[in-house]
Amino acid sequence: MKLLELTSDVVFKSFMISDKTKEYKARLIHLITGIPESELMSATYQSIELPVKHKKDKVFKTDIIVNVEKSIISLEMNKEYYDGLFVKNGTYLNHIESSQFEKGEAYLDYKAIIQINFDNFQKYKKNKLIYEFMMREKETNEIETDLMKSYHINLSYLKNRCYNECSEIEKTCILFLEDLEKYKSDIKEDEIMEKAYETLEEISRDEKIIGLYDAEKVEQKVINTKIEGARREAIQQRKVEIAKNLLEQNVDISIIMSATGLTINEIEKLKN
């Protein structure tokens, strides 16, 4: 059986919504945020669309929303980095925040808004697992409010880590690694981790999940192909522009070929 990656959106949502991973999720979120596990054990987990004010407004789909007594937590799986990713996630966070007041809740009843991003890439400086972001004053470093913050979990930090030397939070996040099978014997020494691992195995055997997982893979390949095609087209266009400029300056064709990588036939066509 192929164990499906927890970094897949489909697998991530199925895993996080499952009642069988309640203890694991309580431990994971507690170790990241400090929220007591007892509160997290009674939390609700949903995959939802955020409310919109007008019919023409864009519908925002979050990965997982966790409702705790004093907090609303957004869990986001970021499998790959692209320009605008964190702007999009920040927009989700702001929508969750503003939706509280639209429901008429008093300011004193305001819940903390927390976003936990699981990043399958290295983005920020220093090689560490957890990055915590809050609004602070530039010079005094004073926190404006602790009711809105975001965490970024750098999953790439865990690669090639020795399980026996990992901290508790590092061991808990091991489930997100693509080569998870090699940690199986270590994971089974922890009852909560073992139950979470077995849930991931069950998800990996679900034919419906497998179908959605395969479709997700195909969609990502199509997107990557389009991005790469656009990149190559832009490079080719730039070469053509350089070649045209050099031709106007009567530069020798051999030099243009060397400078641009274009063939002699491609350059000759630009003369017309």
Side-chain angles (χ1 to χ4, degrees), residues 6 24-25 30 53 73 125 130 229:
L6 196 48
Y24 172 83
K25 291 178 294 193
H30 163 69
K53 296 179 181 178
I73 306 169
K125 296 178 180 178
I130 302 176

Side-chain angles (χ1 to χ4, degrees), residues 39-53:
E39 291 183 23
L40 291 163
M41 284 296 292
S42 59
T44 60
Y45 293 76
Q46 297 175 292
S47 178
I48 65 171
E49 293 182 352
L50 297 176
V52 294
K53 296 179 181 178

Side-chain angles (χ1 to χ4, degrees), residues 241-257 267 270-271:
E241 290 174 0
I242 293 172
K244 285 182 177 179
N245 288 334
L246 293 176
L247 283 172
E248 290 176 359
Q249 299 175 46
N250 297 317
V251 175
D252 188 87
I253 288 183
S254 62
I255 296 177
I256 298 176
M257 290 173 61
I267 296 172
L270 298 178
K271 292 181 178 180

Side-chain angles (χ1 to χ4, degrees), residues 233-246:
E233 184 178 347
I235 292 174
Q236 182 66 17
Q237 184 59 39
R238 180 57 181 158
K239 289 179 178 180
V240 169
E241 290 174 0
I242 293 172
K244 285 182 177 179
N245 288 334
L246 293 176

Side-chain angles (χ1 to χ4, degrees), residues 162-198:
C162 178
Y163 191 87
N164 293 330
E165 296 178 358
C166 286
S167 64
E168 186 176 9
I169 179 58
E170 290 170 353
K171 288 180 178 179
T172 305
C173 289
I174 286 290
L175 285 187
F176 289 90
L177 294 182
E178 294 181 358
D179 56 348
L180 178 60
E181 287 91 343
K182 73 179 183 181
Y183 299 104
K184 186 174 182 178
S185 60
D186 295 310
I187 288 172
K188 288 187 175 294
E189 294 178 3
D190 183 316
E191 185 178 348
I192 291 177
M193 289 289 288
E194 180 181 16
K195 188 176 180 181
Y197 185 94
E198 290 174 350

